Amino acid sequence: MDTVGSALLNLRQPDKKRTIWIDAICINQADTSERNHQVSIIGDIYRGASQTVVWLGESSGKLTPAAFAVLKDIATESTRVFRATSASIGELSDEHNTVHISDCPDSFLEVVSTPSPLFDRYQNNETVIHLFKSTWWQRVWTIQEITLAPRAVIVAGRYSLDWDYFRSGMNYGLRIGIWTPILMGIIHDPTADLYLALQQLLRKLRTFNPAVCPAQSLLEFLIHCRRHDASNSRDKVYALLGLVSSSDSQKIQPQLYPLGLIPDYASSVGDVYSDTASKIILQTGSIDILGSCANPAKAYPKRNICANPTSCHNICLDVCPNQTLPSWVPDWSLRANIAKALMYDAIDRPRTTHASRRSNATPRFVGDGARILVLEGYEVTYITALTTPLHKVQYGSEVILDPARPYGDGLRAMLTRIGNAWAVLGSIYETLIGIVPHLSVYAEWEEFALKEPPTNPTPSPFSTNPKEEPTDRLAVYWQTLCVGTYTAPPSDKWRKIAMQRHFYTWRASLKAVRELRRWRADGKLRPLAFVGFVRKTWNQVTEFFRVLEGAYERRLARGANGYLCLVPEQAKEGDKLMLVKGGRVPLVGIGER
């Protein structure tokens, strides 16, 4: 309530009344029945509001007005640049007014082709960064606040900025490289990840396809909001139900809630998550949700195969005895890095391929409390060899020191000096050479891929092009790494060749890492490996870095049939690779540990 009190003091108007609805006050949090009812209609409340106030907290001296001025300045230029397609800043197309991490420059010197006088003026401007320290960005309930509001305003202390200006300024600044959410193609900023996830949600909601199953929409929202927090773990589901409405005119009533999910705070978290998972599987006819269960810190599925597989081909996912959730139910309360669900490609586009030929799942829920999910499928092969897992590198992780700590200068600013004087590297190498083990994993994976020629079905032929390498022995490897993602549109007949070139450019940036690994000196001579990588990626990071998202938190594996594949981090030798009805990709059946 301290936050609410501070907000009321700053939002009140001295000369007239102001009516404000605040959930923390207007909903009796101690009354379960009232919470159930109010949560059912909260989406309508935000849709019907004349304006939503996003309270970020108290202002920070001169930083806050300076930050709002910067964003408004950048937003104004954004409107000028896109004036041909937009009449006002609030009417920017979704393509221009949203941003994905793949749209952002991620090398030290890369900028967009559009010249901007604001780039030099505001590059790495830190006044805006303090706005994202507010816990508002981390809370899952705030998703409805901003996505359903007809109009919103960002407020910090006595200062405010219209949400359209805030969003347009941030997105355009990210596009032209004023702020960089990812360095050297691999070091992610988790704060930026939350903001970028919000932008993708806004794009999905404003390009709503009524043909999409509501259960599929809810699953996508759950995945995009996984890194958001909730004081009550049930709210990781309940806070997103209001987004599943098919239109603003639809009146959401508790008994008519999409998927038949009615908020009930008296139910256990496990029951809420299990009920949600079962309804998503039944109503989508797919097992996409299983791709969100893989997490090395959580339950390992316990696999049972029917005694007579030749006649029924049933695959049973049982309950792990050490967990309260069935193995087929994602724990949405987890905020740790989890492998990207392969219902998408590496840049968040729906996967166009389908391993089970677009079949529908035939789920059965059996056992005590229907906690065992039975699916139909076939065993393809089993795992015979595995590599080290590949982890995403983030600010504040174990291998990257927190840049917010006082090192006397900003991390990026210190790095910029390297272009003029390599000697400066000595003062910061301890902060950054921790990425070398990450890069060494790629070297290990390539050795693994080359050790035995993969027997995967030959990738579809490249278009005839005299500049293409005549023999590409790494074709299966790099197409596995990028999970079949091509950044060029399907209409571009050269897109596969373009991605092949991006791969070999990326591979060249790892030359020093590969050579040191070959000499077994990658541990002792990490600075040399890091210098070699930075010199290769200084002017521009290859496009291939952008399509590696599907490989994070996974291992490269080889099947008994010679197939090369990506598997969950917790997979072990002997685990089965299976094709299951309703699965876009094969499943790994993880045996008892």
Side-chain angles (χ1 to χ4, degrees):
M1 294 296 290
D2 289 341
T3 299
V4 174
S6 176
L8 290 173
L9 287 173
N10 283 278
L11 295 175
R12 65 182 180 179
Q13 297 176 346
D15 55 346
K16 59 181 179 180
K17 293 182 179 180
R18 187 176 191 182
T19 302
I20 303 175
W21 183 89
I22 300 176
D23 57 356
I25 294 177
C26 298
I27 300 177
N28 183 356
Q29 304 294 326
D31 188 327
T32 299
S33 177
E34 180 175 338
R35 289 175 69 191
N36 292 341
H37 173 69
Q38 291 294 324
V39 167
S40 303
I41 62 174
I42 200 167
D44 281 342
I45 293 174
Y46 287 123
R47 288 187 186 92
S50 60
Q51 176 178 268
T52 294
V53 176
V54 174
W55 173 251
L56 297 184
E58 292 287 353
S59 58
S60 299
K62 296 180 179 179
L63 283 178
T64 302
F68 284 165
V70 168
L71 288 170
K72 192 168 185 177
D73 199 9
I74 298 173
T76 301
E77 178 173 297
S78 173
T79 304
R80 179 184 60 79
V81 171
F82 299 126
R83 187 174 296 163
T85 56
S86 306
S88 71
I89 196 164
E91 298 174 1
L92 288 173
S93 68
D94 281 306
E95 182 65 25
H96 292 154
N97 207 19
T98 55
V99 66
H100 186 272
I101 195 166
S102 62
D103 301 321
C104 306
D106 50 15
S107 72
F108 297 116
L109 303 181
E110 181 186 1
V111 294
V112 295
S113 56
T114 304
S116 170
L118 299 184
F119 180 81
D120 291 332
R121 187 186 310 171
Y122 295 134
Q123 185 182 17
N124 303 317
N125 185 286
E126 297 183 358
T127 59
V128 172
I129 305 303
H130 88 280
L131 298 174
F132 290 91
K133 294 180 180 179
S134 169
T135 58
W136 183 89
W137 301 100
Q138 302 172 19
R139 299 196 302 271
V140 70
W141 271 113
T142 61
I143 299 295
Q144 282 199 67
E145 290 183 23
I146 201 67
T147 56
L148 299 182
R151 181 174 181 269
V153 60
I154 306 294
V155 178
R158 294 287 183 177
Y159 303 98
S160 63
L161 182 66
D162 187 88
W163 167 245
D164 286 332
Y165 275 100
F166 186 99
R167 180 187 177 199
S168 296
M170 277 301 306
N171 292 351
Y172 187 65
L174 287 167
R175 281 179 178 274
I176 66 176
I178 289 178
W179 302 287
T180 307
I182 180 170
L183 289 177
M184 296 181 289
I186 56 175
I187 307 176
H188 291 251
D189 185 338
T191 301
D193 285 348
L194 290 174
Y195 178 79
L196 292 169
L198 175 61
Q199 299 311 299
Q200 291 307 300
L201 278 176
L202 286 166
R203 177 179 289 180
K204 285 181 180 293
L205 289 168
R206 296 183 182 185
T207 57
F208 178 77
N209 181 0
V212 174
C213 171
Q216 185 68 28
S217 295
L218 177 59
L219 175 57
E220 293 180 4
F221 297 153
L222 286 166
I223 291 172
H224 278 286
C225 297
R226 186 146 206 174
R227 296 191 67 84
H228 287 78
D229 199 9
S231 56
N232 187 316
S233 295
R234 300 168 185 81
D235 288 334
K236 291 299 290 285
V237 174
Y238 294 160
L240 301 177
L241 290 177
L243 303 181
V244 189
S245 172
S246 60
S247 69
D248 289 348
S249 61
Q250 179 178 349
K251 295 297 182 182
I252 303 175
Q253 301 295 335
Q255 67 271 24
L256 299 177
Y257 229 104
L259 285 73
L261 288 171
I262 302 175
D264 182 6
Y265 285 93
S267 296
S268 69
V269 174
D271 286 344
V272 172
Y273 288 178
S274 297
D275 189 33
T276 301
S278 63
K279 283 182 167 58
I280 288 176
I281 292 172
L282 290 168
Q283 295 182 34
T284 61
S286 79
I287 55 172
D288 287 341
I289 194 170
L290 300 186
S292 297
C293 295
N295 186 283
K298 293 298 160 185
Y300 293 100
K302 179 181 179 183
R303 178 185 48 79
N304 294 317
I305 305 297
C306 279
N308 189 12
T310 57
S311 61
C312 72
H313 307 294
N314 287 336
I315 297 172
C316 305
L317 297 181
D318 204 349
V319 183
C320 177
N322 297 322
Q323 301 294 328
T324 58
L325 289 177
S327 63
W328 49 272
V329 177
D331 185 349
W332 299 111
S333 67
L334 296 175
R335 299 180 63 200
N337 284 335
I338 293 175
K340 186 180 185 67
L342 294 179
M343 56 190 282
Y344 307 107
D345 68 11
I347 53 177
D348 287 327
R349 299 175 304 193
R351 179 167 295 283
T352 58
T353 57
H354 203 290
S356 63
R357 297 186 176 181
R358 306 190 187 284
S359 62
N360 287 324
T362 55
R364 289 188 293 117
F365 300 92
V366 301
D368 185 20
R371 289 170 63 85
I372 300 175
L373 169 63
V374 182
L375 302 169
E376 294 183 34
Y378 296 84
E379 179 183 322
V380 176
T381 187
Y382 61 92
I383 297 172
T384 58
L386 291 156
T387 65
T388 301
L390 178 70
H391 295 298
K392 179 179 285 190
V393 181
Q394 291 185 311
Y395 296 141
S397 69
E398 292 181 1
V399 295
I400 299 296
L401 299 184
D402 186 354
R405 289 176 55 188
Y407 293 109
D409 204 345
L411 174 61
R412 186 183 174 94
M414 294 171 70
L415 288 170
T416 303
R417 301 179 194 147
I418 302 176
N420 299 321
W422 290 101
V424 179
L425 186 62
S427 65
I428 60 169
Y429 88 96
E430 290 182 355
T431 304
L432 290 172
I433 61 171
I435 70 170
V436 175
H438 171 89
L439 300 176
S440 295
V441 172
Y442 293 120
E444 177 195 343
W445 282 22
E446 182 175 315
E447 287 180 7
F448 182 86
L450 290 172
K451 186 175 182 179
E452 296 179 20
T455 61
N456 301 55
T458 305
S460 55
F462 291 100
S463 301
T464 303
N465 187 324
K467 295 184 179 180
E468 179 196 345
E469 295 187 15
T471 302
D472 188 358
R473 61 178 182 155
L474 291 173
V476 171
Y477 170 59
W478 68 257
Q479 291 188 55
T480 300
L481 271 184
C482 69
V483 294
T485 304
Y486 304 106
T487 53
S491 58
D492 186 348
K493 65 179 181 179
W494 309 115
R495 66 186 189 131
K496 187 173 289 187
I497 292 175
M499 188 54 66
Q500 179 194 41
R501 291 175 181 166
H502 291 316
F503 165 74
Y504 279 100
T505 302
W506 169 81
R507 182 174 181 267
S509 71
L510 301 175
K511 181 179 179 180
V513 178
R514 287 198 309 275
E515 290 182 350
L516 289 172
R517 177 176 171 80
R518 189 178 303 118
W519 300 337
R520 301 293 185 264
D522 50 326
K524 297 179 180 179
L525 300 178
R526 284 186 183 181
L528 292 180
F530 173 69
V531 169
F533 176 71
V534 171
R535 295 185 70 173
K536 287 287 187 180
T537 58
W538 184 260
N539 291 315
Q540 185 172 10
V541 173
T542 172
E543 188 83 4
F544 199 75
F545 269 117
R546 303 182 191 273
V547 297
L548 291 171
E549 288 289 316
Y552 292 138
E553 315 309 326
R554 290 189 166 95
R555 299 176 187 266
L556 193 63
R558 183 178 295 108
N561 60 357
Y563 278 20
L564 201 65
C565 55
L566 290 171
V567 298
E569 181 183 1
Q570 67 266 34
K572 302 290 184 182
E573 292 183 11
D575 289 342
K576 309 297 184 181
L577 300 179
M578 300 171 289
L579 282 179
V580 178
K581 285 186 177 180
R584 297 181 196 239
V585 295
L587 289 183
V588 177
I590 299 176
E592 295 185 47
R593 296 289 185 249

